[in-house]
Coordinates of all heavy atoms in Angstrom, one line a residue:
I105 N 14.5 20.3 13.0 CA 15.8 20.9 12.6 C 16.5 20.0 11.8 O 17.3 19.1 12.3 CB 16.6 21.4 13.8 CG1 15.9 22.4 14.7 CG2 18.0 22.1 13.4 CD1 15.5 23.7 14.0
F106 N 16.4 20.0 10.5 CA 17.0 19.1 9.5 C 16.8 17.7 9.8 O 17.7 16.8 9.6 CB 18.6 19.4 9.4 CG 18.9 20.8 9.1 CD1 19.6 21.6 10.0 CD2 18.4 21.4 8.0 CE1 19.9 22.9 9.7 CE2 18.7 22.8 7.7 CZ 19.5 23.5 8.5
T153 N 23.1 31.6 12.3 CA 22.4 31.0 11.1 C 22.7 29.5 11.2 O 23.8 29.0 11.3 CB 23.0 31.5 9.8 OG1 22.7 32.9 9.7 CG2 22.4 30.8 8.6
F154 N 21.6 28.7 11.1 CA 21.7 27.2 11.0 C 21.5 26.8 9.6 O 20.5 27.2 9.0 CB 20.7 26.5 12.0 CG 20.9 26.8 13.4 CD1 20.2 27.8 14.0 CD2 21.8 26.1 14.1 CE1 20.3 28.1 15.4 CE2 22.0 26.4 15.5 CZ 21.3 27.4 16.1
V155 N 22.4 26.0 9.1 CA 22.3 25.6 7.7 C 22.8 24.2 7.5 O 23.7 23.7 8.2 CB 23.2 26.6 6.8 CG1 24.6 26.6 7.2 CG2 23.1 26.3 5.3
T156 N 22.2 23.5 6.5 CA 22.7 22.2 6.2 C 23.8 22.2 5.2 O 23.8 23.0 4.2 CB 21.6 21.3 5.6 OG1 22.1 20.0 5.2 CG2 20.9 21.9 4.4
G157 N 24.9 21.4 5.4 CA 26.0 21.4 4.5 C 26.0 20.2 3.6 O 26.9 19.9 2.9
H158 N 24.9 19.4 3.7 CA 24.8 18.1 3.0 C 24.2 18.4 1.6 O 23.0 18.1 1.4 CB 23.9 17.2 3.8 CG 24.1 15.7 3.3 ND1 25.1 15.3 2.5 CD2 23.3 14.6 3.6 CE1 25.0 14.0 2.3 NE2 23.9 13.6 2.9
E159 N 25.0 19.0 0.8 CA 24.5 19.4 -0.5 C 24.0 18.3 -1.5 O 23.2 18.5 -2.3 CB 25.6 20.2 -1.3 CG 26.0 21.6 -0.7 CD 25.1 22.7 -1.1 OE1 23.9 22.4 -1.6 OE2 25.5 23.8 -0.9
M160 N 24.6 17.1 -1.2 CA 24.2 16.0 -2.1 C 23.1 15.1 -1.6 O 22.8 14.1 -2.0 CB 25.5 15.1 -2.3 CG 26.7 15.9 -2.8 SD 26.4 16.8 -4.3 CE 26.1 15.5 -5.5
A161 N 22.4 15.6 -0.5 CA 21.3 14.8 0.1 C 20.2 14.5 -0.9 O 19.5 13.5 -0.8 CB 20.7 15.6 1.3
Y164 N 15.7 17.4 -4.3 CA 14.5 18.1 -3.9 C 14.7 19.4 -3.2 O 13.8 20.2 -3.1 CB 13.7 17.1 -2.9 CG 14.4 16.8 -1.7 CD1 14.3 17.7 -0.5 CD2 15.3 15.8 -1.5 CE1 14.9 17.5 0.6 CE2 16.0 15.6 -0.4 CZ 15.8 16.4 0.7 OH 16.4 16.2 1.9
R165 N 16.0 19.6 -2.7 CA 16.2 20.8 -1.9 C 17.0 21.8 -2.7 O 17.9 21.4 -3.4 CB 17.0 20.4 -0.6 CG 17.4 21.6 0.2 CD 18.0 21.1 1.5 NE 18.8 19.9 1.4 CZ 20.0 19.9 0.9 NH1 20.6 20.9 0.4 NH2 20.7 18.7 0.9
P166 N 16.6 23.1 -2.7 CA 17.3 24.1 -3.4 C 18.8 24.2 -2.9 O 19.1 23.9 -1.7 CB 16.5 25.3 -3.2 CG 15.8 25.1 -1.9 CD 15.5 23.6 -1.9
E167 N 19.6 24.6 -3.8 CA 21.1 24.8 -3.4 C 21.2 26.0 -2.3 O 20.5 26.9 -2.4 CB 21.8 25.2 -4.6 CG 23.3 25.4 -4.4 CD 24.1 25.6 -5.7 OE1 23.4 25.6 -6.7 OE2 25.2 26.0 -5.6
V168 N 22.1 25.7 -1.4 CA 22.3 26.7 -0.4 C 23.0 27.9 -1.0 O 23.9 27.8 -1.7 CB 23.2 26.1 0.8 CG1 23.5 27.2 1.8 CG2 22.5 24.9 1.5
N169 N 22.5 29.1 -0.6 CA 23.1 30.3 -1.1 C 24.2 30.7 -0.1 O 24.0 31.5 0.9 CB 22.0 31.4 -1.2 CG 22.5 32.7 -1.8 OD1 23.8 33.0 -1.8 ND2 21.7 33.6 -2.3
W170 N 25.4 30.2 -0.3 CA 26.5 30.4 0.6 C 26.9 31.9 0.6 O 27.5 32.4 1.7 CB 27.7 29.5 0.3 CG 27.3 28.1 0.6 CD1 27.1 27.1 -0.4 CD2 27.2 27.5 1.9 NE1 26.8 25.9 0.3 CE2 26.8 26.2 1.7 CE3 27.3 28.0 3.2 CZ2 26.6 25.2 2.7 CZ3 27.0 27.1 4.3 CH2 26.7 25.7 4.0
I173 N 24.7 33.4 3.1 CA 25.0 32.9 4.5 C 26.2 33.6 5.0 O 26.3 34.0 6.2 CB 25.3 31.4 4.4 CG1 24.0 30.6 4.0 CG2 25.8 30.9 5.7 CD1 22.9 30.7 5.0
I180 N 27.8 31.1 12.2 CA 27.3 30.1 11.2 C 27.5 28.7 11.8 O 28.6 28.3 12.2 CB 28.0 30.2 9.9 CG1 27.9 31.6 9.3 CG2 27.3 29.1 8.9 CD1 28.8 31.8 8.1
V181 N 26.3 27.9 11.9 CA 26.4 26.6 12.4 C 26.0 25.7 11.3 O 24.9 25.8 10.7 CB 25.4 26.4 13.6 CG1 25.5 24.9 14.1 CG2 25.8 27.3 14.7
I182 N 26.9 24.7 10.9 CA 26.7 23.9 9.7 C 26.4 22.4 10.2 O 27.3 21.8 10.8 CB 27.9 24.0 8.7 CG1 28.1 25.5 8.3 CG2 27.6 23.1 7.5 CD1 29.3 25.6 7.5
Y183 N 25.3 21.9 9.8 CA 25.0 20.5 10.0 C 25.5 19.6 8.8 O 25.3 20.1 7.7 CB 23.5 20.3 10.2 CG 22.9 20.9 11.4 CD1 22.8 22.2 11.6 CD2 22.3 20.0 12.4 CE1 22.2 22.7 12.8 CE2 21.8 20.5 13.5 CZ 21.7 21.9 13.7 OH 21.1 22.4 14.8
M184 N 25.9 18.5 9.0 CA 26.2 17.5 8.0 C 27.1 18.1 6.9 O 26.9 17.8 5.7 CB 24.9 17.0 7.4 CG 23.9 16.3 8.4 SD 22.3 16.0 7.8 CE 21.6 17.7 7.6
G185 N 28.1 18.8 7.3 CA 28.9 19.5 6.3 C 30.3 19.0 6.2 O 31.1 19.7 5.4
N188 N 31.6 18.0 2.7 CA 31.6 19.1 1.7 C 32.3 20.4 2.3 O 32.2 21.5 1.7 CB 30.2 19.5 1.4 CG 29.5 18.4 0.6 OD1 30.2 17.7 -0.2 ND2 28.2 18.3 0.8
I192 N 32.4 24.3 0.9 CA 31.7 25.3 1.7 C 32.6 26.5 2.0 O 32.3 27.6 1.9 CB 31.1 24.7 2.9 CG1 29.9 23.7 2.6 CG2 30.6 25.8 3.9 CD1 29.4 22.9 3.7

Side-chain angles (χ1 to χ4, degrees):
I105 303 294
F106 305 120
T153 296
F154 296 97
V155 59
T156 175
H158 196 15
E159 292 276 18
M160 305 307 292
Y164 64 87
R165 180 173 30 77
E167 183 178 350
V168 174
N169 186 340
W170 291 108
I173 296 295
I180 303 169
V181 180
I182 303 173
Y183 292 68
M184 302 171 288
N188 292 325
I192 292 169

